[in-house]
Amino acid sequence: MALPQDKTPLLSLPIEQLPGEGYRRGQLATWLYVKGARQWEEMTDLPKALRAEWAAQYRISEFAQVAPYPSQDGSVKYLFTLLDGQKTEAVYMPYLNRKTICISSMVGCPAGCTFCATGRMGFGRNLTAAEILDQILFAAHHQGHAPREIRNVVLMGMGEPLLNVENVFAALKRMLHPQGLAMSPRRITLSTVGIPRGIYKMAELGLEVRLALSLHAPDDETRQQIIPTAHRYRITEIMEAVRHYYTQTKRRITLEYTMLKGVNDHEWQARALAGLFKGISAHMNLIPWNSWEGAPHQGSPKAQILRFAAILEQQGIPTSVRWSRGRDVGAACGQLALKQPDQPQAQLSRL
Ligand code: SAH
Ligand code: SF4
């Protein structure tokens, strides 16, 4: 019998290419994406012989092990060990009636932003479409929900999604597909450090998901100090791509701006931001910086964050401050770097 890593991952297949004829294929899609089955035995309305045949060729789960770390605020960080032993993470946030999951697109990240713990760990590898999707399916299952009960997905975990476009776009297609997770594109947010060709490609495919741009500075000089990839893409070039995406989709653009003391929190920078967004509907999220060991930064003081927010509002940019969740288990923005807080709830191995 083949090892799991030698089998074809079902979640990597477009729905139309799942095994089986029309009716059987539909049943399989329902088990995976509607009922969230993680074992062949669960699929009781499929003939046993067919299940055995498929089980020999295909795999359902992408993980060798999963360790959940519940935070005091209700969010749960999942540390996934992939079939090749590499690790990645996702964070489930059950607040109110908007069950949300923050998922990863890579192991580590090659962009190397100085304020981000994932950037510090460097690049491991791209996640496959199956590994991206299975983070959602596993978390739903572990939380006792059907997959479609998870209503919001944000691609804000480890990695830069627009440097892994093939796998990320394939996963997005399965999230949006009516026989897949059947999500509304308005409930999916892709966060990027700003890779213009990826933004154009997303517009071209017509995926229509929300775009979040991690801007972090209104000027190239400051941006290049904290985001090494900014040497390749200037703000004007990124803004052109964002403007194009906005024109195509008419979706309000989200901006993310991590507040770093003495780096990007000056009042002149708040005023400079307004000029960049003429003609685009945008919403600014100011993110108080989350600390991690060995980081070369300090977060801006609360008073400075509020002053910065007030200037942006005055300049006509709607602004929120995002106080992070999950800090106690290293699950807040930019803290995902596989550092394990104390003990997981339990190490799960029948996945
Ligand atoms: N690579 C993508 C998505 C993952 S990072 C991107 O950069 O957009 C998701 C968000 O977390 C980004 O806006 C990033 O700037 C922010 N972030 C990274 N490190 C952080 C930290 N230590 N504190 C607060 N936010 C951080
Ligand atoms: Fe990568 Fe985003 Fe972290 Fe930058 S902030 S290193 S792009 S994950």
Side-chain angles (χ1 to χ4, degrees):
M1 181 116 159
L3 293 168
Q5 51 270 44
D6 298 328
K7 297 181 186 177
T8 304
L10 278 180
L11 301 177
S12 274
L13 300 175
I15 312 269
E16 293 75 14
Q17 288 171 27
L18 286 172
E21 299 301 314
Y23 176 63
R24 293 289 182 219
R25 180 185 301 149
Q27 281 176 302
L28 180 57
T30 302
W31 279 111
L32 294 174
Y33 293 105
V34 182
K35 299 181 184 170
R38 303 195 63 80
Q39 308 290 339
W40 292 102
E41 304 94 88
E42 291 173 57
M43 305 186 190
T44 44
D45 58 1
L46 287 168
K48 253 191 169 163
L50 187 61
R51 275 187 270 156
E53 188 190 311
W54 286 349
Q57 280 181 65
Y58 300 100
R59 65 172 189 251
I60 302 173
S61 170
E62 296 303 311
F63 307 127
Q65 277 193 330
V66 183
Y69 294 88
S71 159
Q72 291 186 352
D73 63 22
S75 55
V76 181
K77 169 165 117 169
Y78 289 99
L79 176 61
F80 298 106
T81 305
L82 304 161
L83 295 175
D84 65 355
Q86 300 250 35
K87 292 181 182 181
T88 196
E89 305 187 329
V91 184
Y92 171 73
M93 295 166 280
Y95 316 112
L96 306 170
N97 52 3
R98 298 196 315 175
K99 299 182 180 72
T100 299
I101 185 162
C102 171
I103 58 173
S104 295
S105 55
M106 293 177 169
V107 174
C109 183
C113 304
T114 58
F115 50 86
C116 172
T118 304
R120 167 61 66 88
M121 71 182 269
F123 181 54
R125 68 168 171 84
N126 285 337
L127 295 184
T128 64
E131 289 165 338
I132 295 168
L133 282 168
D134 207 16
Q135 296 170 55
I136 307 173
L137 294 174
F138 182 88
H141 173 82
H142 184 252
Q143 294 292 329
H145 301 310
R148 292 180 178 184
E149 283 179 68
I150 303 224
R151 301 295 303 279
N152 298 280
V153 171
V154 294
L155 274 145
M156 290 188 188
M158 284 195 167
E160 169 46 51
L162 295 185
L163 291 177
N164 181 18
V165 286
E166 204 174 305
N167 294 311
V168 166
F169 292 165
L172 286 174
K173 284 181 189 161
R174 248 78 93 209
M175 289 178 214
L176 296 167
H177 196 291
Q179 283 183 285
L181 291 176
M183 295 188 73
S184 154
R186 270 174 288 118
R187 292 175 175 277
I188 301 175
T189 302
L190 184 148
S191 174
T192 177
V193 71
I195 311 291
R197 67 171 185 281
I199 298 174
Y200 286 116
K201 182 87 193 157
M202 196 159 58
E204 188 190 313
L205 288 178
L207 295 172
E208 303 213 330
V209 301
R210 285 185 190 274
L211 179 65
L213 173 66
S214 294
L215 191 61
H216 308 310
D219 56 298
D220 285 312
E221 197 186 335
T222 311
R223 208 166 186 268
Q224 286 168 8
Q225 278 170 25
I226 52 180
I227 307 177
T229 56
H231 287 281
R232 269 196 283 154
Y233 309 112
R234 301 181 73 79
I235 292 174
T236 48
E237 202 187 327
I238 297 172
M239 288 312 300
E240 231 169 83
V242 168
R243 215 169 278 276
H244 175 75
Y245 194 78
Y246 177 72
T247 314
Q248 294 271 303
T249 60
K250 287 286 173 289
R251 294 246 184 275
R252 178 191 263 200
I253 305 291
T254 301
L255 303 169
E256 290 163 281
Y257 199 104
T258 301
M259 299 291 292
L260 303 169
K261 186 177 177 185
V263 177
N264 63 359
D265 64 352
H266 300 108
E267 296 182 13
W268 68 264
Q269 286 163 318
R271 282 189 289 273
L273 280 167
L276 293 175
F277 296 98
K278 296 246 158 63
I280 302 185
S281 163
H283 185 100
M284 174 65 93
N285 286 331
L286 295 180
I287 313 171
W289 180 69
N290 297 308
S291 62
W292 42 274
E293 219 176 291
H297 290 289
Q298 285 180 298
S300 307
K302 188 170 176 180
Q304 186 64 17
I305 297 176
L306 296 176
R307 200 171 312 135
F308 202 87
I311 298 173
L312 289 173
E313 287 277 355
Q314 269 168 22
Q315 301 282 319
I317 304 182
T319 301
S320 322
V321 182
R322 290 294 154 111
W323 309 102
S324 278
R325 313 267 194 172
R327 280 185 175 182
D328 57 335
V329 291
C333 280
Q335 289 184 319
L336 297 179
L338 312 173
K339 186 162 174 285
Q340 304 187 20
D342 309 329
Q343 281 304 303
Q345 198 174 38
Q347 189 85 5
L348 308 171
S349 49
R350 186 174 156 84
L351 306 171

